[in-house]
Amino acid sequence: DDMEVLKIVKRGYGDIVNTPVMHIDKDSVERLLARNSVIKSAQVYYTLDGYFHVEITQRKPVLRIMSGEGYYVDEDGKIMPLSRKYTSRVVVATGNISRKFACNGLYPFIMTLRNDEFWDALVEQIVVEKGNEVVLIPKVGNFRIVLGTLDDMNEKLENLRLFLREGIVLKGWNVYKEINLKFKNQIVCVKR
């Protein structure tokens, strides 16, 4: 918010309130703001009527990693810190997750899920197990979806979509405790 931006500027540049705009180095303020971990871009300018303007684009988290100290991955696939002021409502990933796998493995996967209305509505949590094998926890039903590695991810997701739309609807959402897509061209289900 406005007060946070003023605090950032005051800490890094000095107090600019009631300072004539011509005495403020707008490029320095812009660089200072751009270095902040939650700011994607900053535009700083002043108008002819003597007002100083700061336009900020915030980074948007798409995935929360709850491993180690915890962090977000933003919409550009970059790491961003957790905020003390708010928690984003995004898919949570747990397990032993390296930053490299978070950015190069989970980020493209989560973007695939987010760009599809069906998957975006279904997936609540991602669990990363040994060997970077992925398990999905859906928002509905009481079962796990074992994807295995993210190789052939699109094929696995399409097989799962078919199964969920045509198979599970007939049997019920709570018949299985696990749906496993690890193996090529097959879906293995474990009943309760």
Side-chain angles (χ1 to χ4, degrees):
D1 62 16
D2 294 350
M3 294 310 292
E4 281 185 87
V5 173
L6 274 173
K7 283 181 192 173
I8 293 168
V9 171
K10 190 173 185 176
R11 264 195 319 266
Y13 183 83
D15 194 4
I16 62 171
V17 177
N18 297 323
T19 302
V21 292
M22 299 311 282
H23 294 124
I24 301 170
D25 180 0
K26 65 181 181 61
D27 293 331
S28 292
V29 173
E30 199 170 276
R31 281 192 300 275
L32 169 73
L33 292 169
R35 285 194 308 262
N36 187 285
S37 61
V38 297
I39 296 175
K40 185 174 185 175
S41 66
Q43 299 290 318
V44 177
Y45 60 94
Y46 24 80
T47 55
L48 292 174
D49 56 1
Y51 286 99
F52 191 76
H53 295 271
V54 177
E55 291 180 10
I56 290 177
T57 304
Q58 284 184 275
R59 294 172 63 193
K60 293 183 180 122
V62 294
L63 179 66
R64 181 174 181 172
I65 307 295
M66 294 182 70
S67 175
E69 79 282 359
Y71 53 91
Y72 289 111
V73 177
D74 76 1
E75 64 191 344
D76 296 321
K78 294 185 169 81
I79 302 292
M80 79 184 267
L82 298 177
S83 170
R84 287 180 299 235
K85 293 197 175 215
Y86 73 94
T87 301
S88 287
R89 295 180 82 57
V90 295
V91 173
V92 172
T94 59
N96 189 12
I97 305 167
S98 70
R99 287 178 177 248
K100 182 179 179 185
F101 185 67
C103 294
N104 298 334
L106 291 178
Y107 165 72
F109 179 64
I110 199 69
M111 293 309 288
T112 297
L113 298 180
R114 286 176 59 96
N115 291 328
D116 184 296
E117 199 174 285
F118 180 77
W119 298 123
D120 194 38
L122 182 73
V123 177
E124 180 168 45
Q125 181 180 348
I126 298 171
V127 179
V128 178
E129 296 181 337
K130 195 168 133 183
N132 289 336
E133 292 201 352
V134 172
V135 175
L136 304 178
I137 309 298
K139 292 176 185 171
V140 293
N142 187 18
F143 57 91
R144 299 167 20 114
I145 302 166
V146 179
L147 284 181
T149 65
L150 293 176
D151 300 331
D152 304 319
M153 162 186 62
N154 291 327
E155 182 182 334
K156 290 176 184 179
L157 288 175
E158 281 314 305
N159 289 341
L160 178 61
R161 182 190 313 261
L162 259 169
F163 177 75
L164 293 176
R165 285 197 171 152
E166 316 239 340
I168 212 163
V169 172
L170 300 173
K171 297 269 188 186
W173 283 91
N174 291 314
V175 171
Y176 303 111
K177 65 178 179 180
E178 183 174 283
I179 300 170
N180 191 325
L181 295 117
K182 253 169 109 162
F183 310 103
K184 188 103 173 129
N185 295 324
Q186 55 182 312
I187 298 174
V188 178
C189 297
V190 178
K191 283 190 173 185
R192 296 202 165 277

